[in-house]
Amino acid sequence: AQSVTQLDSQVPVFEEAPVELRCNYSSSVSVYLFWYVQYPNQGLQLLLKYLSGSTLVKGINGFEAEFNKSQTSFHLRKPSVHISDTAEYFCAVSDEPAAGNKLTFGGGTRVLVKP
Amino acid sequence: GAVVSQHPSWVICKSGTSVKIECRSLDFQATTMFWYRQFPKQSLMLMATSNEGSKATYEQGVEKDKFLINHASLTLSTLTVTSAHPEDSSFYICSASPGRDSPLHFGNGTRLTVT
């Protein structure tokens, strides 16, 4: 069984400051990790994914994440946030590399960017 | 890019009535679609996997007779909430992928309010 824990339910941050969203997972098999963003009353948009290879993954909108197998983590970072980054962020895991399969989501982290 | 359209975006219905939600892949075919449910300020919970031309696969705890899924074509899956009750009020999101090696695309969700 897989599970995903997002340690912070809310993260307030000032505009142009860096942000890190924490994600830890547990799985008995190989994992494939994803970060999604959800804007109010909308579906989810893929930010980035780790399937294999380099543990540092770069995504859209200036986000990046680092896969750390020993710490079972996949934290999301952005060096300088914008007001438009205010949204809900979800970490997700799958036991198959193709994202076109079932995902297990974390509880989400709400990012509020303040001017 | 691949687009998943969900309709309606919001619906209000009376207790005891049924509501149908449509999920369409607009520019690709999807043999599999996924239906998620999201409570306020919570994560997405997978309800079922919709398989074109066959029965849906429901997650544990999801009532098959209450949440009817029909995947009659490669571009359309429907979720019908039968005999809706106020506790069924939620945000329902569908997702689909052009193929197993392609990312999931999410619809914009349907907010259901049962009065």
Side-chain angles (χ1 to χ4, degrees):
Chain A
Q2 299 172 319
S3 67
V4 180
T5 302
Q6 290 181 243
L7 297 168
D8 307 297
S9 59
Q10 291 189 64
V11 174
V13 58
F14 285 104
E15 192 175 16
E16 297 183 4
V19 70
E20 179 179 79
L21 308 183
R22 295 179 292 172
C23 172
N24 288 87
Y25 67 90
S26 66
S27 177
S28 58
V29 297
S30 297
V31 291
Y32 305 94
L33 297 154
F34 308 85
W35 273 99
Y36 285 87
V37 59
Q38 183 183 33
Y39 299 102
N41 295 311
Q42 293 189 26
L44 276 68
Q45 180 182 1
L46 180 66
L47 280 176
L48 48 80
K49 60 185 177 183
Y50 171 78
L51 302 182
S52 64
S54 173
T55 56
L56 182 62
V57 180
K58 293 189 182 296
I60 63 171
N61 300 343
F63 284 94
E64 64 179 30
E66 186 157 17
F67 171 59
N68 189 318
K69 187 174 183 178
S70 62
Q71 296 187 9
T72 60
S73 68
F74 191 54
H75 301 334
L76 179 72
R77 293 189 288 264
K78 185 170 182 176
S80 175
V81 296
H82 302 290
I83 295 290
S84 59
D85 292 322
T86 294
E88 186 94 22
Y89 293 81
F90 292 97
C91 182
V93 63
S94 174
D95 59 5
E96 297 187 45
N101 288 287
K102 291 198 304 182
L103 296 173
T104 299
F105 286 90
T109 298
R110 187 174 299 274
V111 172
L112 176 60
V113 181
K114 303 177 180 180
Chain B
V3 176
V4 173
S5 174
Q6 217 173 310
H7 179 80
S9 57
W10 59 271
V11 58
I12 301 173
C13 71
K14 292 186 176 181
S15 186
T17 61
S18 295
V19 174
K20 179 184 286 187
I21 302 169
E22 293 186 348
C23 179
R24 293 182 185 272
S25 55
L26 296 186
D27 51 0
F28 65 95
Q29 294 182 331
T31 55
T32 303
M33 293 184 176
F34 301 95
W35 287 96
Y36 292 86
R37 182 174 182 177
Q38 185 181 29
F39 290 103
K41 298 184 179 181
Q42 294 189 30
S43 187
L44 283 74
M45 299 299 295
L46 180 67
M47 297 176 65
T49 302
S50 173
N51 304 298
E52 188 268 335
S54 64
K55 292 183 179 180
T57 304
Y58 290 82
E59 295 300 302
Q60 191 174 9
V62 178
E63 298 176 60
K64 301 179 182 181
D65 295 332
K66 182 164 190 60
F67 298 100
L68 299 179
I69 292 174
N70 186 294
H71 195 153
S73 78
L74 287 170
T75 59
L76 173 65
S77 174
T78 61
L79 169 67
T80 301
V81 183
T82 62
S83 187
H85 290 105
E87 56 264 32
D88 298 325
S89 298
S90 190
F91 194 55
Y92 294 87
I93 304 175
C94 72
S95 68
S97 171
R100 291 179 62 86
D101 295 328
S102 301
L104 270 177
H105 299 277
F106 287 80
N108 281 339
T110 297
R111 184 162 301 284
L112 170 63
T113 302
V114 184
T115 61

